[in-house]
Structure formats: C-alpha cells, structure tokens
Amino acid sequence: MKNIIIFFLIVNISMSCSRNAREREVGNKFSNASESLSDSLFDLPILETDSLITIKLPEKIEDPKNDVIVTSDLIESIEYIPLETTKNSLVHSVEQSLIYNDNIYILDNFGKSILMFNKQGKFIKRIGSYGKGPKEYINPIKITLNEKSQKLYVLDDKTSKLLIYDLSGNYLSEERIKFRVNDFLFLNDSTCIVNTGTRENFHLPEIANNKLVLTDKKWKILAKGFEYDAAHCNTVSFSRNGLYRYKNQIIYNPTLSNYIYRITPFGIQPKYFIDAGKAMLPEGFDYELTFDDFFKKYDSRQSKYVYIDKPIIETDNFLITTLRYQSRFLYFFYSKNTRTLFCSLYYKPKPDGLTILTPFRGISAEDEFYGFTDAIGFKREMDFVIKVTHVEISPKLKAIKEDDNPIFIFYKLKKF
C-alpha cells in the first residue's frame, strides 16, 4: 500500500511539473499575448443566404458495379511528373504543396524542410533550414503564398513565427504571432483570416473557443468566429487545413463538417452543403473520443459515415474534394454548370492508357488540377493497371523506384 501511495505521489508530482513546465513555455512564448487583441473585438456572424447549393451523395456508395467513375468520361488528359530524386532533394512526406508560376513548393514536415521544384520535376533548392536560430524553423506546419506581394510565408508552430521569403526562396524577414495558428490566407491587403482549428489558445480566453479569427496585417485580432469547446475538441485533434482560395474569395470547411462557407470581412456565408443522408456524422458528435477510437468508430471498414477529408477545390466550372468512407477515398467531382456529380469509391482506367487517380490537392492553372502520391503506392497501382489493361508505359515511369521521391499528377477535366 505504501508503494502504491508513493507511486501516485510521483505520478502527480511528475504531471504537475510537466503541466507547470508547459504553462511556463506558453507564458514565455506568448508573453504580452493580450496585446494581440483589438479593443473592439467583435464576432463574425453567420450570414443568411438564399443561394445555398445542396449536393446530395448517392445512397449506395459501396457498389462497384453500379457506381464507377469512368475516367475517360471525366478526364481529358493526365500527365505524370516524378520529382527529381537526389541526395539534397529527398522528400520524406508531402504535408502540403503549392504550385505557382510553374514552380512546386513542398512542405515536408517530417523532414523539417521546404523544397522547391519546377513543374517538370527538376529540383531547384531547399528554402530556409532547420534550427533554433534566426532565419530557421523547427516545426514548419504551413506554407502560404501572398500573390499580391509575391511572398512565401512559412509558419513555424514551435516558435509561433512566420518566416517570409520571396518566390525564389530567398529569406526576407520574420514575424512573431502571439497565438497558435493552424492555417491562414490573406483576405485583402489589410486583413488575414486565420484558422486556429484545434491549436490550443487557452492563454487567450477571449478566442480560446473560436476556430476562426480575423486579423490585421500586424496579426492583431479584430474578430472571431465559429465557437466550439476547445478543451474537449483537442482530444480528437485534426490539424488539416480548412481555408482555400477561389479567385478573390476564401472558402472554409470546418473539420468534420459537410458545410462549405464563403468568408468575408463582414461574416461567414454558407455556400455548399454536401448531403450524405443517413451517412452524415451524428448530431452531437463525440469530440471526447481518443484519436484511435475515432477511427474505429467513424473511419473503420464497418463505419457507415461519410465526411470531407481532403482540400476543397473550386473553379468557375468545378467543385472538387475527396470524402472519407470506410478507410477509403470517395472521389467527388461536381460540375457547377450542369450540376452533374461524379462520386465513387471506384474508377475504371482508360483501356488504351495508364490511369492512376489520386485525391486532388490543388490547382496549377485554370481547370488544371494536381495530386500526388508516394513512389511505393504509385508503382503498385501502376503494376495493377498494366496487368488489367496491358498498356505500354513510358521508360520514365518504368524507371521509378519505390524509394524515389513522390510523383505529381496533373489532370485536365472535360467541361460538362
């Protein structure tokens, strides 16, 4: 009994020391954090709309006989670009990617690096470097382009600072942010919309339970939106991006929500609703689940639920995303012109050529989209497609090794 009491005393002291150390770290990193709050902080309202577009998913999602995307009906052309694999350009994983001016910018969080390639896959350079000093980052979690100023922003979550580069990857400056950020986009010259998501901001109780904040260009918080219970939602911690750009608009998809919103400086307006019927996540969703329990209940092969999992991509012609269903990708292509929906777990390769479909991650040009996949998965899928269709493939693709860099895939869709 005495040993048990001593054990619990040690555990409690250890937990207390750990908590105190964490609080000291937060206190040091975010000293004078309240200066980040505007004196006239206001709530971003949910605006009423009479133009909400509801897109209904098919009732039978899992039937490959009746619900298959025929890629030749949807895709006009596909191009596969292996990223150059050298000692200096090795990519551990692609956490995020941007394509702009025919250059590919990659955030490799696992490898703690930002890499730059051209659109032909040729390695250009590493941007910045890992370290604790000035001009260095420890835990990069987000890259963002400001097209107006022609600058690249890298967010280091560990130090809560932004490192700013020109589009050639040359260091310009850095800025401190006194609250935690998940992702952000520039709304206009003077304001920025920030998705705090499940990043803890308990040191600022005024915004601790808000998913979105609006800031000025010096990162002073002007407004807040989307209330939630941060203390419990942090248990199921999804730190994926939620903000995306469509022309001069910013669209927002909260984690585990089937609503897509348009954000303005005056409020948040519902724009799309993806209706999954009986497969919707239940009302009063249990955010107190552990990460593992969430996937057992809502993302296992026995689960009946559907939710948005990958980026929201909108153009004049399309709304594209990837849903999650039974541990698999549910591909989603919606024509805004004809209100036609292609949505399926399955796709049928073209009989006369190689087709490997991956989740779409972004836009490289108007109505040209891109995705990427690791070399291991690509080779396995390629071998399967060759076996099924007996197609000839280029020597460039044949030469890919399983430990090579990822392959970027560029798609042009047919207009329908």
Side-chain angles (χ1 to χ4, degrees):
M1 182 68 180
K2 182 179 178 181
N3 290 338
I4 294 173
I5 293 171
I6 292 171
F7 170 77
F8 278 108
L9 282 172
I10 291 171
V11 169
N12 285 331
I13 291 169
S14 174
M15 288 177 66
S16 177
C17 289
S18 175
R19 183 169 59 250
N20 290 338
R22 189 165 61 248
E23 287 172 355
R24 281 197 302 272
E25 181 187 356
V26 170
N28 292 334
K29 186 164 67 170
F30 298 120
S31 58
N32 302 319
S34 60
E35 294 176 0
S36 297
L37 298 172
S38 169
D39 293 336
S40 54
L41 187 67
F42 66 94
D43 291 320
L44 278 172
I46 303 292
L47 304 174
E48 291 186 7
T49 179
D50 55 3
S51 58
L52 177 69
I53 296 174
T54 297
I55 307 169
K56 187 162 181 58
L57 298 183
E59 289 186 12
K60 292 186 177 180
I61 294 171
E62 69 283 351
D63 188 352
K65 294 180 182 178
N66 300 325
D67 193 13
V68 177
I69 293 175
V70 180
T71 52
S72 56
D73 291 344
L74 177 65
I75 298 171
E76 186 175 292
S77 64
I78 305 179
E79 185 179 13
Y80 301 95
I81 304 293
L83 298 183
E84 182 182 11
T85 306
T86 68
K87 182 179 178 181
N88 294 323
S89 70
L90 286 178
V91 178
H92 291 85
S93 63
V94 182
E95 182 79 12
Q96 188 194 346
S97 62
L98 297 171
I99 297 182
Y100 186 70
N101 284 351
D102 288 335
N103 287 324
I104 302 173
Y105 302 88
I106 289 174
L107 166 60
D108 178 1
N109 181 262
F110 187 82
K112 307 301 181 189
S113 58
I114 314 297
L115 301 100
M116 184 176 175
F117 297 81
N118 68 20
K119 205 176 167 186
Q120 289 69 49
K122 181 76 174 173
F123 176 62
I124 299 175
K125 68 185 295 185
R126 285 177 173 264
I127 298 175
S129 59
Y130 174 83
K132 297 182 179 180
K135 304 183 182 181
E136 296 175 326
Y137 43 73
I138 301 173
N139 184 34
I141 65 164
K142 172 70 179 179
I143 53 176
T144 293
L145 278 170
N146 187 333
E147 295 182 21
K148 183 109 178 173
S149 65
Q150 294 287 284
K151 291 176 183 176
L152 175 72
Y153 289 74
V154 176
L155 173 63
D156 181 7
D157 183 56
K158 180 66 176 176
T159 59
S160 282
K161 70 178 179 181
L162 285 171
L163 296 98
I164 306 168
Y165 304 85
D166 64 23
L167 296 188
S168 297
N170 300 309
Y171 175 84
L172 299 175
S173 62
E174 60 184 54
E175 299 174 349
R176 293 280 174 176
I177 303 178
K178 295 182 179 180
F179 55 94
R180 297 196 71 198
V181 173
N182 197 46
D183 63 310
F184 63 97
L185 287 174
F186 295 93
L187 195 57
N188 50 45
D189 289 342
S190 60
T191 54
C192 187
I193 190 74
V194 178
N195 171 27
T196 59
T198 56
R199 302 282 168 187
E200 295 179 359
N201 279 305
F202 299 121
H203 63 291
L204 281 174
E206 294 87 348
I207 65 160
N209 291 309
N210 292 98
K211 290 186 178 183
L212 290 176
V213 296
L214 185 73
T215 76
D216 65 17
K217 57 186 177 183
K218 295 191 179 295
W219 306 100
K220 177 161 281 194
I221 300 169
L222 308 174
K224 56 185 179 175
F226 272 97
E227 288 191 4
Y228 75 123
D229 184 351
H232 292 112
C233 289
N234 272 283
T235 310
V236 181
S237 181
F238 293 89
S239 56
R240 71 167 176 83
N241 294 342
L243 298 170
Y244 311 98
R245 187 174 295 283
Y246 163 53
K247 290 189 170 180
N248 61 346
Q249 291 184 21
I250 290 178
I251 54 178
Y252 171 58
N253 169 236
T255 303
L256 301 178
S257 169
N258 280 17
Y259 277 95
I260 300 167
Y261 299 86
R262 182 171 73 92
I263 294 179
T264 76
F266 313 105
I268 306 161
Q269 189 172 49
K271 190 172 184 183
Y272 297 99
F273 174 61
I274 298 177
D275 182 1
K278 295 179 180 179
M280 298 286 295
L281 286 172
E283 293 278 341
F285 171 77
D286 185 5
Y287 280 102
E288 295 190 58
L289 290 171
T290 66
F291 195 71
D292 288 340
D293 285 343
F294 169 84
F295 281 99
K296 286 178 185 176
K297 188 170 183 179
Y298 296 109
D299 194 47
S300 70
R301 292 304 293 266
Q302 290 73 44
S303 171
K304 62 182 180 181
Y305 300 106
V306 174
Y307 59 92
I308 296 173
D309 183 53
K310 292 292 184 257
I312 308 293
I313 304 165
E314 185 174 10
T315 68
D316 287 346
N317 297 309
F318 298 103
L319 178 71
I320 298 171
T321 189
T322 307
L323 309 175
R324 193 72 175 164
Y325 177 71
Q326 294 188 344
S327 299
R328 291 174 288 176
F329 294 135
L330 179 59
Y331 301 105
F332 178 103
F333 303 90
Y334 177 74
S335 167
K336 293 165 62 175
N337 296 326
T338 63
R339 303 208 169 186
T340 305
L341 175 64
F342 289 83
C343 183
S344 180
L345 290 163
Y346 309 96
Y347 67 93
K348 184 176 179 181
K350 295 195 305 187
D352 58 342
L354 180 68
T355 301
I356 294 177
L357 195 62
T358 63
F360 284 27
R361 306 289 183 144
I363 308 168
S364 56
E366 181 62 30
D367 281 345
E368 181 184 73
F369 307 91
Y370 72 88
F372 50 79
T373 185
D374 60 88
I376 294 175
F378 184 83
K379 277 197 70 70
R380 289 175 182 171
E381 185 76 5
M382 182 171 63
D383 291 343
F384 171 77
V385 172
I386 291 170
K387 183 178 178 180
V388 170
T389 63
H390 307 288
V391 298
E392 286 295 323
I393 63 169
S394 70
K396 184 179 180 181
L397 295 183
K398 278 185 179 179
I400 292 173
K401 301 182 181 67
E402 290 193 348
D403 57 353
D404 278 352
N405 268 341
I407 292 85
F408 269 64
I409 307 174
F410 294 90
Y411 306 84
K412 285 191 176 177
L413 301 186
K414 293 182 176 179
K415 290 185 170 59
F416 59 93

